[in-house]
Amino acid sequence: MFLYVGVKWVIKADRDRKIKFCCLQSKAAEPYMSVCDLDRDDVRRRFLFIEGPGLYHQGSTAALKVLAHLPLPYSALSSLMIVPTPLRDAVYDHVAKKRYKWFGKSDDCLVLREQDLLDRFIDREELLERSRSVL
């Protein structure tokens, strides 16, 4: 799952609204993880991007695949796929280890109040219910 900062950045950059999101903690995430034979701990360690049935990516490949779906200039960064995966993943893992220090941490998925952001989540109903229970 993207960090909150990352989600907001992708939503802003994704003018064509190609990418949808799902909170790792939601019930809606379970079938996606199951199809990929992953559990929440796997996804906590490495970001998961599902392109379609039977086609998913994790780690640096997932991040670069997301960039490939964005308009220029961001999609041009997907050319970094030519860098060998072990090297890309080493950089990805380093950033992943530091992400909470740099961006903060939340035990629960963000509670969205902006309708435009909320519409981008496949688990929007769960998010709405969660936000009602918080208020």
Side-chain angles (χ1 to χ4, degrees):
M1 188 60 162
F2 267 112
L3 297 169
Y4 179 63
V5 172
V7 170
K8 287 187 85 169
W9 181 87
V10 170
I11 288 172
K12 184 177 177 182
D14 185 17
R15 294 185 300 258
D16 297 327
R17 302 172 66 87
K18 293 179 181 180
I19 300 171
K20 298 280 189 183
F21 302 89
C22 185
C23 289
L24 176 61
Q25 299 87 348
S26 73
K27 287 181 177 35
E30 293 171 6
Y32 294 100
M33 290 185 292
S34 178
V35 165
C36 299
D37 198 29
L38 299 169
D39 62 26
R40 282 184 170 81
D41 286 336
D42 294 325
V43 180
R44 279 189 186 99
R45 281 189 294 278
R46 291 233 163 138
F47 159 63
L48 175 65
F49 179 64
I50 301 172
E51 279 193 281
L55 186 58
Y56 73 93
H57 311 280
Q58 283 191 277
S60 66
T61 302
L64 292 172
K65 289 288 186 174
V66 166
L67 290 171
H69 288 278
L70 298 177
L72 286 168
Y74 311 113
S75 60
L77 293 171
S78 67
S79 65
L80 291 172
M81 291 288 281
I82 65 169
V83 174
T85 303
L87 181 57
R88 284 194 335 254
D89 280 343
V91 172
Y92 176 90
D93 291 340
H94 175 73
V95 172
K97 286 179 187 173
K98 302 285 187 178
R99 72 184 187 266
Y100 294 134
K101 181 179 178 184
W102 295 339
F103 302 109
K105 181 180 179 180
S106 175
D107 290 332
D108 197 19
C109 191
L110 48 139
V111 177
L112 300 171
R113 301 193 194 287
E114 300 173 46
Q115 189 64 39
D116 190 46
L117 295 179
L118 186 59
D119 289 342
R120 301 295 296 278
F121 282 76
I122 60 174
D123 56 344
R124 69 183 302 279
E125 295 304 319
E126 284 184 64
L127 288 171
L128 285 170
E129 184 62 34
R130 191 173 299 147
S131 90
R132 280 186 219 118
S133 67
V134 169
L135 299 175

